[in-house]
Amino acid sequence: MARAPSAAPQETPKPRIRDAIRTQERILKAAQAEFARKGYDGARVDAIISRAKISKNLLYHHFRSKEELYIRVLERTYETLRRRQGDIPLSGLDPVEAMKRLCEDTFQVFIDEPDIITMLNTENLYRGKHIAKSPIIRALYDRLSVTIRAILKAGEEQGVFRTGIDPVELYISMSGLGYFYLSNQYTLSMIFDRELADAASIESRRAHIVDMILSYLTHGIEAPDRPRAGW
């Protein structure tokens, strides 16, 4: 008796998965633009739907509420910042060069992704209450702290960094030197009659950040003369 042909194995509907991912990404991009410009309270779901060119039902299929969508946009914002910092090839670099690269890239990501500054400013108005509901964001910065600790330890062991540096304080200072400059560039430009957004000013600020951080790390360390600012 002839054996009946076996049924073909069912394949995972990969196109549907890819479509879902693309749809979520489109929603998140539209939501980030809306939240960055109008804040959490001012942002409207209908505007996000219009930007993303989708139906309201489809948005709520992927995100249960406006707050959930906002938290996911915040996570995406921090993921972008950490991914850019994580892309720096620090392995194999001496600690001074590694710290210089980390300073430069942290500043550069604020330049390249201006919505990050707006989103962080908005969330600070809410005293971080939405970030507190995310299990992802704190874990991202735990890994950053590990990276900074490793660079500091290598610098201490080689005698090029002083001891006792708090990696969290260091990162806050490193980030703040660029963040404040960019988030307040319009008011500062008016106050000091200087165009802070032009290319020469940006490059000067980048060198200043590196100089400030490395001067702090190497304070009191006997080392051969090296040029300031560019290090």
Side-chain angles (χ1 to χ4, degrees):
M1 182 175 180
R3 181 181 297 177
S6 58
Q10 292 186 346
E11 294 185 0
T12 303
K14 292 180 180 178
R16 289 187 179 182
I17 295 173
R18 287 196 294 268
D19 287 345
I21 292 172
R22 282 196 291 265
T23 298
Q24 288 183 24
E25 181 63 18
R26 192 161 72 247
I27 294 169
L28 289 169
K29 287 179 68 175
Q32 179 170 316
E34 179 72 6
F35 286 129
R37 285 154 183 76
K38 298 182 180 178
Y40 178 72
D41 288 333
R44 295 290 176 263
V45 170
D46 286 344
I48 295 170
I49 290 167
S50 177
R51 284 178 183 272
K53 295 180 172 57
I54 58 167
S55 69
K56 183 174 289 189
N57 287 341
L58 187 57
L59 183 144
Y60 284 118
H61 171 73
H62 290 284
F63 304 96
R64 291 172 296 181
S65 66
K66 176 183 174 181
E67 183 181 48
E68 182 181 296
L69 178 57
Y70 178 71
I71 291 170
R72 185 64 192 96
V73 169
L74 279 175
E75 290 173 346
R76 186 175 185 268
T77 299
Y78 279 98
E79 285 166 353
T80 298
L81 180 56
R82 285 297 299 118
R83 184 181 66 252
R84 287 286 303 273
Q85 291 168 328
D87 286 344
I88 313 170
L90 300 178
S91 179
L93 296 178
D94 70 80
V96 171
E97 181 62 22
M99 192 61 70
K100 174 178 180 289
R101 295 283 291 277
L102 187 59
C103 288
E104 291 175 338
D105 197 75
T106 298
F107 184 50
Q108 189 62 43
V109 72
F110 290 141
I111 296 170
D112 295 342
E113 306 279 352
D115 280 356
I116 288 178
I117 290 177
T118 308
M119 290 296 299
L120 301 190
N121 285 345
T122 297
E123 182 57 10
N124 274 288
L125 293 175
Y126 293 97
R127 299 176 182 268
K129 76 173 187 178
H130 300 100
I131 286 178
K133 298 178 181 180
S134 169
I136 293 174
I137 293 171
R138 185 173 295 177
L140 290 170
Y141 278 79
D142 286 343
R143 294 198 294 273
L144 175 62
S145 181
V146 169
T147 297
I148 296 175
R149 286 180 192 277
I151 297 172
L152 291 173
K153 182 179 179 182
E156 290 177 12
E157 291 174 347
Q158 295 179 27
V160 294
F161 291 163
R162 60 194 181 93
T163 61
I165 302 298
D166 184 325
V168 174
E169 290 286 358
L170 180 67
Y171 178 74
I172 291 172
S173 296
M174 178 194 304
S175 180
L177 285 167
Y179 185 99
F180 182 85
Y181 178 94
L182 294 169
S183 66
N184 293 272
Q185 61 181 290
Y186 304 108
T187 52
L188 293 173
S189 292
M190 292 296 295
I191 290 168
F192 294 111
D193 192 23
R194 180 182 297 182
E195 184 49 64
L196 298 186
D198 67 30
S201 295
I202 291 292
E203 287 308 308
S204 176
R205 186 63 184 180
R206 192 193 315 275
H208 179 77
I209 293 169
V210 172
D211 194 23
M212 290 284 285
I213 294 300
L214 291 182
S215 294
Y216 169 70
L217 290 172
T218 59
H219 178 70
I221 299 291
E222 293 291 336
D225 292 337
R226 56 163 66 96
R228 308 288 291 177
W231 292 75

